[in-house]
Amino acid sequence: MRRLIILSLITLILSGCAVGPNYKRPSVNVPGAYRGAAPQEAAQPAAESLGDQRWWEVFEDPQLQELIRTALQQNYDVRIAATRILQARAQVGITRADQLPTISGGAEALNQRSARSKFFPEYETSSNQVDLSLAWELDFWGKYRRATESARANLLATQWARQAVISTLVSDVAAAYFQLRELDLELEISQRTLASRRDSLQLTKTLASGGATSMLDVRQAEQLVFTAAETIPDLERRIEQQENFLSTLLGNNPGPITRGTKLTEQPHAPEIPAGLPSSLLERRPDIRQAEAQLIAANAQIGVAKAAYFPQINLTASGGYQSSALTSLFTGPAGLWSFGGSLVQPIFTGGRIRSNVKFTEARQQEAALVYQQTIQQAFRGVSDALVEYRKDREFREQQEQLTFSAEDAARLSETRYRGGATSYLEVLTNETNYFDAELGLAQAQLNELLGLVRIYRNLGGGWQEP
């Protein structure tokens, strides 16, 4: 009969209800296609997306891949995020332990002698005891199950937070590397231009010494030299600072960075497949993190509502007690106790009701944050798509401008050497060509940065080898 009662009690506990709402994903207004996508994809979005590709498939420069691998191993933000996962996992274990009974054991030995007094003689007592005790609050209303559900959701949110950190890190390393290679290109352009202008200055001085031109032409030629020369120290400063920044992303002290493919040779597709907007909800780490936080907040409502119902506690203890240690486990030395209690809140001054309202408001906030995160994600993708497309168009126009400026500079130099024009024309066209080259380098960088932004906004980069 006792076993039957215990079995029935366990069955009742396991089948007990869990108060509070079960999680249901909020409805979200998902567009059929991204605004800013290419016309053919906007008309009929493809299932494949750049965000589904792994980062080593998107960034094909071997040196950049090596930098990203180093960053994933050594970057402090990633390592900090990993320790937060360990904390959240331990918290799940702490919370889950509340569902189980607590069992403790003890042993006690006491020998005591009392001195003789006027009314009592001296005497000695001896007591030895060993026992086990059990305490268990039955989770009949699901308070601890809901708390464990919340803790597990927080663990999942922490894991997705780490994925978001990895995605951001991959994008930051790629962007910083492309910016470094653009500065290298600007330095190369400046050094090449400086060498060319020095040769032109030397020729102008020779012509001036022979009376074929004026000292004004010499001064104008010097302006071209000094204009190119002044950019070099500033570019060298920016390059070293960019190397320091990239070293920090890698988790290293400031130092030099090994280069790989040139900026102008970095492979990237002219059109980027964005994929279906609905798949973004499953791919973007920040969206998954926000949803996990919503699940945790939803479970906390059940924890708060369980306080309305009675707390049922079971206690039991058993052991042996004897005045002589030799007879502790023999004879009539056994002792045991078993009991239960039920405590029903009657008046709490509105504390329980206010706590329920508090958790419901937290859940509503988490739901709004989740929906806002999705909306911002759609905007981020759309902005990145139109930016990449327009940056590509700008780069194409800048290439034509650079070609035209180069040809104009060549023609003006030829005309000057033939005596058909003044050096002012050379000055103007050389300046335009130098500015156009630097502008083209910046346009090429912006196009690559646009690719990085699309990849990050589509939720790519957190996939690990």
Side-chain angles (χ1 to χ4, degrees):
M1 179 62 69
R2 182 180 300 175
R3 292 179 180 177
L4 182 59
I5 293 174
I6 294 175
L7 182 61
S8 300
L9 183 61
I10 294 176
T11 304
L12 182 65
I13 294 170
L14 295 178
S15 62
C17 61
V19 297
N22 294 321
Y23 173 72
K24 182 179 180 181
R25 176 180 286 183
S27 60
V28 180
N29 183 17
V30 180
Y34 294 110
R35 185 184 183 190
Q40 62 272 17
E41 185 163 353
Q44 187 175 2
E48 62 177 2
S49 171
L50 179 70
D52 293 324
Q53 298 183 26
R54 293 171 172 82
W55 56 261
W56 57 90
E57 298 172 344
V58 177
F59 307 119
E60 301 180 25
D61 186 339
Q63 184 56 40
L64 174 56
Q65 293 176 356
E66 185 61 30
L67 294 176
I68 293 176
R69 291 189 185 96
T70 302
L72 293 177
Q73 293 174 357
Q74 300 180 177
N75 181 267
Y76 282 100
D77 288 334
V78 175
R79 293 160 67 181
I80 290 171
T83 61
R84 288 172 180 165
I85 292 177
L86 297 178
Q87 297 172 36
R89 185 175 291 123
Q91 186 60 49
V92 172
I94 294 172
T95 306
R96 185 177 54 198
D98 291 334
Q99 301 180 53
L100 305 175
T102 300
I103 301 175
S104 58
E108 179 180 336
L110 177 64
N111 294 295
Q112 183 177 2
R113 181 181 186 278
S114 178
R116 184 177 62 180
S117 64
K118 182 178 180 179
F119 301 101
F120 299 98
E122 73 278 4
Y123 65 91
E124 294 184 6
T125 62
S126 178
S127 175
N128 301 281
Q129 178 177 332
V130 294
D131 60 35
L132 287 176
S133 60
L134 177 146
W136 191 9
E137 181 179 348
L138 303 184
D139 191 26
F140 186 77
W141 314 111
K143 176 176 67 174
Y144 295 129
R145 277 173 285 162
R146 289 297 192 191
T148 302
E149 178 185 347
S150 178
R152 289 185 184 278
N154 283 325
L155 171 59
L156 185 61
T158 308
Q159 292 172 334
W160 280 113
R162 177 178 178 270
Q163 308 295 55
V165 169
I166 291 176
S167 177
T168 301
L169 177 63
V170 169
S171 299
D172 288 347
V173 171
Y177 179 76
F178 290 147
Q179 289 168 342
L180 178 61
R181 297 305 283 139
E182 191 273 338
L183 292 173
D184 291 337
L185 179 57
E186 285 194 30
L187 181 61
E188 179 186 336
I189 293 171
S190 298
Q191 291 173 338
R192 185 180 69 245
T193 302
L194 177 60
S196 175
R197 289 181 177 180
R198 280 175 174 170
D199 293 341
S200 180
L201 173 60
Q202 188 61 40
L203 174 62
T204 305
K205 287 180 177 180
T206 302
L207 293 175
S209 63
T213 187
S214 66
M215 198 64 187
L216 178 60
D217 290 347
V218 175
R219 293 291 179 254
Q220 290 174 336
E222 288 176 343
Q223 293 178 37
L224 289 176
V225 171
F226 299 150
T227 301
E230 71 177 0
T231 62
I232 292 177
D234 183 62
L235 285 170
E236 291 174 340
R237 172 190 62 82
R238 293 167 61 190
I239 286 173
E240 188 166 336
Q241 290 177 339
Q242 188 68 16
E243 287 181 322
N244 293 341
F245 171 68
L246 193 48
S247 296
T248 303
L249 288 178
L250 302 181
N252 296 328
N253 291 324
I257 299 296
T258 305
R259 271 61 158 183
T261 307
K262 293 183 178 180
L263 182 77
T264 55
E265 298 174 359
Q266 293 289 338
H268 56 284
E271 298 293 342
I272 300 298
L276 298 172
S278 57
S279 64
L280 195 66
L281 275 62
E282 305 298 330
R283 188 190 310 114
R284 282 229 351 187
D286 57 340
I287 295 178
R288 300 296 299 272
Q289 178 188 359
E291 184 176 19
Q293 291 170 340
L294 173 58
I295 296 173
N298 186 79
Q300 285 297 323
I301 298 176
V303 177
K305 286 187 175 182
Y308 279 122
F309 301 95
Q311 298 178 3
I312 304 173
N313 293 277
L314 298 179
T315 58
S317 64
Y320 297 91
Q321 184 177 22
S322 174
S323 59
L325 188 62
T326 56
S327 61
L328 180 62
F329 298 103
T330 60
L335 57 89
W336 62 269
S337 66
F338 176 82
S341 65
L342 184 147
V343 179
Q344 170 64 50
I346 297 176
F347 177 75
T348 60
R351 180 187 300 273
I352 298 176
R353 181 176 65 254
S354 297
N355 191 39
V356 171
K357 291 182 178 180
F358 174 75
T359 55
E360 289 175 342
R362 289 287 298 270
Q363 187 269 349
Q364 293 170 8
E365 177 190 1
L368 293 173
V369 169
Y370 171 66
Q371 293 170 325
Q372 182 186 45
T373 303
I374 294 174
Q375 189 177 73
Q376 291 175 344
F378 289 150
R379 177 195 170 185
V381 174
S382 297
D383 287 350
L385 287 172
V386 68
E387 178 184 9
Y388 181 73
R389 189 174 73 252
K390 295 305 178 182
D391 282 343
R392 185 181 71 249
E393 295 175 3
F394 181 85
R395 187 259 307 162
E396 292 171 350
Q397 295 299 320
Q398 190 68 26
E399 286 178 343
Q400 297 182 21
L401 174 61
T402 304
F403 175 78
S404 178
E406 179 184 17
D407 195 46
R410 180 184 60 80
L411 291 174
S412 62
E413 181 73 20
T414 302
R415 280 164 53 81
Y416 172 73
R417 294 187 180 188
T421 187
S422 67
Y423 201 82
L424 179 60
E425 181 179 305
V426 176
L427 173 65
T428 301
N429 286 287
E430 281 287 345
T431 302
N432 291 340
Y433 176 46
F434 183 53
D435 292 341
E437 277 196 295
L438 296 180
L440 178 58
Q442 186 64 47
Q444 291 166 333
L445 170 64
N446 290 339
E447 188 174 359
L448 288 171
L449 293 180
L451 172 67
V452 173
R453 293 188 187 98
I454 290 177
Y455 186 54
R456 181 181 60 200
N457 279 283
L458 286 174
W462 56 267
Q463 302 91 338
E464 300 184 36

